[in-house]
Amino acid sequence: MYKHDLLIIGAGLAGLRAAVEGVRQGLNVAVITKVHPVRSHSNAAQGGINAALTDRGDDWKDHALATIKGSDYLADQDAVEVMCKEAGEALIELENMGVIFSRDDDGKLGTRAFGGQKKARTYFVGAITGSALLHVLYEQSIKYDLHIYEEWFVTKLIKDEGRISGAIAFDIKTGQMELISAKAVVLATGGAGRVFEPSTNALICTGDGLSLAMQAGAPLMDTEMIQYHPTTLSGSGILISEAARGDGAYLINSEGERFMENYAPDYMELASRDVVSRAEQTEIDEGRGVDGCVFLDLRHLGKQFIEERLGYLQEVALEFRGIDLSESPIPIKPGMHYIMGGIKTDLNGATNIPGLYAAGECANVSVHGANRLGANSLLDTIVFGRRSAVSSVEYIKSIQDLTPDERLLSREKSRIQSIIDRPKGMRSSELRLKMATSMTKGIGVWRNAESIENTSQIMKNIRGQLSNVYVENKGKIFNTDLVSFLELEFMIDVAESICQGASARLESRGAHFRTDITSRNDLEWLKHTIVELSDQGMNTKTSDVTITEWQPTERIY
Amino acid sequence: MQAQIKVKRFDPEQSDESFFQDYSVDVTDESTILDGLIKIREEQDGTLGLRCSCRASICGSCSMRVNGSAKLVCKTRIKEVAPNGEVISIEPMGNMPVIKDLVSDMDAFWSKVRSVDPYVKTDFKPEAEHIASNDSMTHLLGVMNCIMCGACVSECTALEVDSNFIGPAALAKAYRFVADPRDEDKNTRLSKLNGNDGVWDCTRCLACVEVCPKDVAPMERIVKMRELAIEEGYTNTSGFRHTDTFVESIRRHGRLDETRLALESTGLKNISGLIDLAIIGLKSLFRGKIPPVLPHRPKDFNKITSIVERLEDKRKD
């Protein structure tokens, strides 16, 4: 058995930021991650990180209001206040750690514009901001000599008298399974994009943390809030950053018209993502698209500008579509990108289970509500990653030495072995694809009672079929076949919880747009949906949204 | 269309030997090699081991050898490599042990990255951000593009003969700090990188520049660090002596004085090095390959020396 004070699951930005804080606070910290830290999906954030810097005449309250309006008033405003107030400090700290942010003429941090905000307050590194941040936090993990279980897969959280006491995991490289005892656990496992197909998300984004938390008894919140990003490539779903529009690119339909004029005349291409995605889908549905796509047009920005500020986008366009962005518009469409919903936490990342914390995309402290603003996700990971570790310190000090029951390990070992021992059956990839395409179809940019109910039924059927899946690979070393099956088990939990949330919310708000109930209903639905696991399956209830000073009004861009 | 892919398989639980396995998989014009491999794993052979994640050339997981040279398979389209349905050969990266199939053991790779103290070192605490020119940051962006995929290390010809060489990826990473205006440890870094297994071990074969999927150009960073090390006064290295004697030889003779180059590079006070050199000298002598004691003067001697002079003048500017 391994022993730590604080175990962090996931080594993306939220996980590494939490870990660095834990070490600084003097804790015995370990990070466990199913891929090497720099392979984490934080990499894929391209555009930047938002912060209102006061020495530039910006005001955190403006950032907060933009975030709250972007969330369609579903965000908890106390959480948004925390994030926006701490943003400046978080950003400067990242710079001081060594992030090579773009500079203005005075050598200070430079900005670009981003969606849903009138003021340019997005700080960036070319079009690789997430990658640049992740690599710098990995540098810090080396500086602090952080203990990392690299390429280890967590199968289960364990509890002792209602408190979290660690996790069970195996080393993917050797198959060795261990109980890792920890007084507190931070879940920082990122998103769940593979529950959908296509998705901008990496293949590792399988919602592990959401399922682990739910299985341990922590509720999920607002799971129906799935962000469809306005600019993704058809087929693979690969992301083209909002930075393109932030830096001035247009969206045009098959008639060459900048159609956003008809949907968001004030903000145009930089309206909130849910608004732009719906506009695009309307254009496509009404026959003004080409092969299910509209176009992103960067030609007027010029080759040099594109290569200097949007180099990675140019690389993606050239490599995956053979398109030079300075010469032709690129076909794009709305694609599943982010889950606003997640593990319900308080302002310090704490869940309802003593010792269990969550931060980043897997968590829902509720700063994004029904729609996340671009460049707020990196900020979320840094601010709440740090806070979760800080708040775990007092808790950890109050806990005596834990002695988790070793029988839990042998039970989990037999469970995994029984999966490997299944002699024949269907492949997990087949079920994954069925689940993911059904989710995109039923819980898409548009949804309604019928599509949600159908999808929900399909998910129940798929869960029933899980026991028919077999693992062809019987080996211990790097058995990705086994990993894929275990990920599918996690994903089905997430998929069902998404259907539950979607089915419960009888209004349209932000990313949750129902064609059968098209308006927002603040009277009855200024509420979070909460999904919990009980012995009978998943239950849904609601809780109030925290409003501090911004009363909901009509949302016009 | 059908893609023909042969994959080098290795499973230490089954056998110590590796072997090639042929697969045929249905793909489209747009399909990447990674798409093909995933399809094989999902539909035909669940035992195939590979790493992959982002599918968009940013996570660095899927570097492997395609027809003998390292590539990120997520950004390599099948049609580019095999326009007429040729067989594509896929192997794990070179210069690294194999864990299973296409999964390379990158422990040594990461230890070398750790060995260059890869984090900004400074005691200066600015009130807010450090002030730095946008040009200096944009310059570093070239190195920050590195996704640590390992392709350069896979094809490094110096590593092939000397596994202690820090290697192109870790050295490019080191450059990111040497060239970072915020770092206060530049001198110590250069002194360390100037030592054994450091910047002078690169043979400048260009393989790393050629295979890098992100245009990081590790070799150019290595050469730049050599120059910076010399500027900082680190001249007691065979690398520096080699460079210095090389230039001197061209200036004096209009061509390379190989005997002198070998002697001076080794260092005239380096007894054990000179003994090694003597053995090589004797072997060369027996095979009739010893260079002339004094090089012949080339007929374009004046032209060559004037080029040397012009270059020297340019450097002084």
Side-chain angles (χ1 to χ4, degrees):
Chain A
M1 181 170 37
Y2 299 116
K3 266 192 170 187
H4 303 282
D5 293 333
L6 180 60
L7 179 68
I8 292 156
I9 306 179
L13 286 175
L16 289 180
R17 185 63 192 83
V20 164
E21 197 60 31
V23 177
R24 283 179 181 169
Q25 304 267 353
L27 300 176
N28 167 358
V29 183
V31 171
I32 187 161
T33 164
K34 63 181 179 178
V35 292
H36 184 280
V38 306
R39 315 295 180 215
S40 304
H41 190 58
S42 302
N43 259 329
Q46 298 170 11
I49 176 167
N50 288 329
L53 295 187
T54 45
D55 65 354
R56 249 133 283 193
D58 202 354
D59 184 346
W60 70 264
K61 284 197 172 188
D62 290 343
H63 180 197
L65 176 58
T67 300
I68 290 161
K69 181 181 171 187
S71 81
D72 216 349
Y73 296 91
L74 187 63
D76 284 325
Q77 298 185 1
D78 53 349
V80 174
E81 287 187 14
V82 164
M83 180 176 81
C84 296
K85 276 184 199 162
E86 290 186 11
E89 212 177 303
L91 178 79
I92 295 301
E93 190 188 42
L94 287 169
E95 192 284 331
N96 289 177
M97 282 178 178
V99 176
I100 55 158
F101 285 112
S102 175
R103 296 301 209 271
D104 63 16
D105 292 340
D106 300 327
K108 299 172 91 175
L109 300 182
T111 55
R112 69 161 41 116
F114 238 62
Q117 308 185 73
K118 276 288 179 196
K119 178 151 177 86
R121 62 169 66 90
T122 303
Y123 296 86
F124 66 101
V125 182
I128 58 159
T129 312
S131 170
L133 262 57
L134 182 64
H135 281 259
V136 165
L137 271 164
Y138 180 62
E139 290 166 7
Q140 296 295 303
S141 80
I142 293 173
K143 177 177 166 184
Y144 288 105
D145 201 17
L146 185 66
H147 184 87
I148 303 178
Y149 294 90
E150 239 173 69
E151 296 186 317
W152 279 65
F153 190 87
V154 176
T155 64
K156 194 179 171 60
L157 296 179
I158 53 174
K159 289 200 295 186
D160 189 4
E161 291 172 7
R163 287 190 310 240
I164 215 75
S165 60
I168 296 175
F170 65 88
D171 184 346
I172 298 171
K173 300 180 293 301
T174 62
Q176 174 204 354
M177 199 157 194
E178 292 288 346
L179 197 158
I180 303 172
S181 150
K183 293 177 182 171
V185 169
V186 177
L187 289 165
T189 58
R194 304 316 296 171
V195 170
F196 293 78
E197 183 68 43
S199 163
T200 60
N201 287 194
L203 304 174
I204 54 172
C205 301
T206 50
D208 305 6
L210 284 84
S211 170
L212 288 168
M214 199 158 42
Q215 296 286 348
L220 306 185
M221 184 164 88
D222 298 331
T223 45
E224 68 279 14
M225 297 305 176
I226 302 293
Q227 180 162 79
Y228 282 80
H229 192 287
T231 53
T232 71
L233 298 183
S234 62
S236 58
I238 286 170
L239 177 69
I240 302 288
S241 171
E242 186 168 301
R245 283 173 289 137
D247 280 352
Y250 303 145
L251 286 169
I252 54 175
N253 59 20
S254 60
E255 286 151 31
E257 180 195 4
R258 277 181 77 186
F259 56 84
M260 284 311 296
E261 209 162 344
N262 307 322
Y263 301 89
D266 192 15
Y267 282 69
M268 294 294 285
E269 281 85 356
L270 289 179
S272 273
R273 287 177 175 174
D274 61 323
V275 174
V276 180
S277 283
R278 273 194 296 279
E280 289 178 0
Q281 199 57 51
T282 305
E283 292 295 304
I284 295 163
D285 291 350
E286 291 178 358
R288 291 183 297 277
V290 175
D291 298 331
C293 290
V294 287
F295 298 91
L296 181 69
D297 189 354
L298 283 79
R299 287 173 297 180
H300 55 286
L301 300 179
K303 200 175 179 89
Q304 194 195 336
F305 181 90
I306 292 171
E307 279 170 3
E308 203 174 292
R309 286 182 52 122
L310 303 165
Y312 174 65
L313 268 62
Q314 176 79 320
E315 179 189 329
V316 166
L318 280 170
E319 297 288 344
F320 296 100
R321 286 292 178 273
I323 288 175
D324 180 338
L325 294 173
S326 68
E327 284 172 9
S328 329
I330 184 163
I332 46 85
K333 63 186 288 191
M336 189 277 165
H337 179 58
Y338 187 88
I339 177 162
M340 274 73 73
I343 305 156
K344 179 177 166 47
T345 73
D346 68 11
L347 299 180
N348 297 315
T351 69
N352 64 328
I353 300 172
L356 184 63
Y357 300 79
E361 189 171 347
C362 71
N364 189 358
V365 57
S366 200
V367 285
H368 310 305
N371 172 71
R372 174 175 69 77
L373 290 190
N376 266 355
S377 58
L378 292 184
L379 181 58
D380 173 11
T381 63
I382 300 296
V383 168
F384 293 102
R386 187 188 74 82
R387 287 178 78 92
S388 61
V390 170
S391 71
S392 76
V393 175
E394 282 307 306
Y395 173 80
I396 286 169
K397 281 185 190 157
S398 74
I399 298 296
Q400 300 299 311
D401 222 19
L402 296 169
T403 43
D405 188 349
E406 290 271 4
R407 281 173 304 182
L408 291 171
L409 176 62
S410 52
R411 238 178 274 159
E412 189 66 355
K413 274 184 179 167
S414 346
R415 181 180 83 87
I416 303 291
Q417 195 55 46
S418 72
I419 294 165
I420 296 174
D421 289 342
R422 291 177 194 167
K424 210 64 198 153
M426 64 200 301
R427 292 179 188 276
S428 59
S429 55
E430 195 183 318
L431 273 189
R432 207 287 304 180
L433 193 64
K434 193 170 159 204
M435 169 193 70
T437 48
S438 308
M439 287 295 287
T440 304
K441 197 169 155 217
I443 320 281
V445 175
W446 320 121
R447 50 195 73 172
N448 56 47
E450 196 192 339
S451 77
I452 297 166
E453 183 50 35
N454 281 345
T455 315
S456 199
Q457 275 310 321
I458 296 171
M459 294 312 127
K460 288 196 171 69
N461 290 341
I462 291 177
R463 183 184 290 284
Q465 286 175 282
L466 280 178
S467 55
N468 301 332
V469 174
Y470 95 117
V471 174
E472 183 184 358
N473 191 342
K474 309 292 183 197
K476 293 225 171 286
I477 296 175
F478 229 88
N479 188 342
T480 49
D481 206 15
L482 173 65
V483 169
S484 297
F485 175 76
L486 298 172
E487 287 174 335
L488 179 63
E489 285 190 318
F490 289 152
M491 283 192 280
I492 265 294
D493 281 347
V494 179
E496 253 189 78
S497 75
I498 291 169
C499 294
Q500 289 276 335
S503 162
R505 184 175 294 280
L506 300 172
E507 63 158 354
S508 283
R509 183 184 297 270
H512 179 68
F513 193 94
R514 296 180 64 128
T515 53
D516 52 347
I517 318 171
T518 55
S519 58
R520 195 174 88 189
N521 179 352
D522 288 339
L523 222 52
E524 289 169 281
W525 278 104
L526 194 57
K527 284 190 161 57
H528 298 296
T529 59
I530 308 279
V531 182
E532 281 174 319
L533 200 61
S534 73
D535 294 338
Q536 286 77 42
M538 287 182 197
N539 294 331
T540 314
K541 57 181 190 183
T542 61
S543 73
D544 289 338
V545 173
T546 308
I547 305 285
T548 56
E549 57 179 279
W550 295 277
Q551 289 305 316
T553 56
E554 203 186 345
R555 184 168 172 252
I556 301 167
Y557 283 102
Chain B
M1 65 180 190
Q2 286 296 117
Q4 310 299 328
I5 300 180
K6 66 168 185 173
V7 178
K8 192 169 192 180
R9 305 292 310 268
F10 170 67
D11 182 355
E13 289 178 273
Q14 302 288 336
S15 158
D16 293 339
E17 302 289 316
S18 60
F19 63 98
F20 275 98
Q21 185 161 351
D22 298 326
Y23 297 98
S24 175
V25 59
D26 192 29
V27 294
T28 68
D29 278 3
E30 307 258 280
S31 297
T32 61
I33 292 178
L34 180 62
D35 293 333
L37 290 172
I38 290 175
K39 214 164 174 212
I40 291 168
R41 186 170 74 175
E42 290 192 342
E43 294 172 8
Q44 302 178 22
D45 188 348
T47 69
L48 180 63
L50 69 139
R51 288 194 184 101
C52 51
S53 183
C54 75
R55 309 162 296 136
S57 71
I58 195 72
C59 80
S61 302
C62 68
S63 185
M64 50 192 86
R65 276 183 167 164
V66 177
N67 292 339
S69 181
K71 284 182 187 300
L72 279 185
V73 289
C74 71
K75 68 179 273 189
T76 309
R77 275 191 278 180
I78 289 175
K79 220 182 161 196
E80 273 165 43
V81 183
N84 303 308
E86 296 90 336
V87 176
I88 303 170
S89 150
I90 306 289
E91 296 169 74
M93 284 187 280
N95 287 330
M96 294 176 215
V98 180
I99 294 175
K100 181 180 192 292
D101 297 337
L102 302 168
V103 181
S104 300
D105 179 350
M106 294 185 75
D107 282 357
F109 176 97
W110 292 112
S111 324
K112 285 173 181 175
V113 170
R114 277 194 295 273
S115 79
V116 303
D117 291 352
Y119 43 86
V120 168
K121 293 184 181 179
T122 172
D123 291 328
F124 176 62
K125 284 263 173 287
E127 259 176 52
E129 73 265 47
H130 294 88
I131 302 300
S133 72
N134 194 43
D135 284 349
S136 67
M137 294 292 117
T138 310
H139 174 66
L140 289 176
L141 188 57
V143 201
M144 212 61 216
N145 270 322
C146 173
I147 53 174
M148 297 282 159
C149 68
C152 57
V153 165
S154 168
E155 303 314 310
C156 175
T157 51
L159 265 173
E160 217 175 299
V161 291
D162 178 9
S163 60
N164 292 324
F165 175 39
I166 298 174
L171 286 173
K173 183 78 179 172
Y175 179 74
R176 171 242 184 295
F177 302 101
V178 166
D180 192 318
R182 296 166 296 186
D183 193 90
E184 288 171 346
D185 206 33
K186 180 176 161 187
N187 193 288
T188 323
R189 288 182 189 280
L190 286 169
S191 130
K192 208 170 146 190
L193 296 166
N194 198 46
N196 286 343
D197 310 321
V199 290
W200 294 104
D201 276 16
C202 165
T203 59
R204 297 201 297 167
C205 72
L206 279 162
C208 60
V209 178
E210 211 170 285
V211 298
C212 175
K214 305 301 277 187
D215 294 332
V216 173
M219 191 202 83
E220 287 171 26
R221 317 295 174 178
I222 294 171
V223 171
K224 187 73 200 169
M225 285 192 287
R226 289 179 178 180
E227 288 168 14
L228 291 171
I230 292 169
E231 275 172 29
E232 295 280 319
Y234 293 107
T235 50
N236 185 22
T237 58
S238 62
F240 171 72
R241 287 191 294 269
H242 182 90
T243 312
D244 204 38
T245 317
F246 202 111
V247 176
E248 190 51 36
S249 164
I250 302 291
R251 193 209 322 272
R252 197 182 297 171
H253 306 292
R255 64 164 54 186
L256 214 51
D257 179 350
E258 289 184 70
T259 313
R260 197 157 185 87
L261 185 69
L263 287 166
E264 298 267 2
S265 300
T266 308
L268 297 174
K269 291 176 195 155
N270 178 358
I271 305 300
S272 72
L274 288 174
I275 293 170
D276 286 346
L277 196 61
I279 297 169
I280 297 172
L282 283 172
K283 281 184 181 167
S284 310
L285 185 67
F286 289 128
R287 289 185 171 82
K289 291 193 171 170
I290 198 102
V293 180
L294 273 180
H296 310 293
R297 175 172 282 221
K299 66 173 192 284
D300 289 332
F301 177 74
N302 290 334
K303 270 190 198 163
I304 294 170
T305 47
S306 84
I307 291 173
V308 173
E309 272 164 28
R310 257 185 287 164
L311 283 172
E312 294 267 280
D313 288 348
K314 208 169 175 189
R315 198 176 56 162
K316 278 172 200 151
D317 290 346

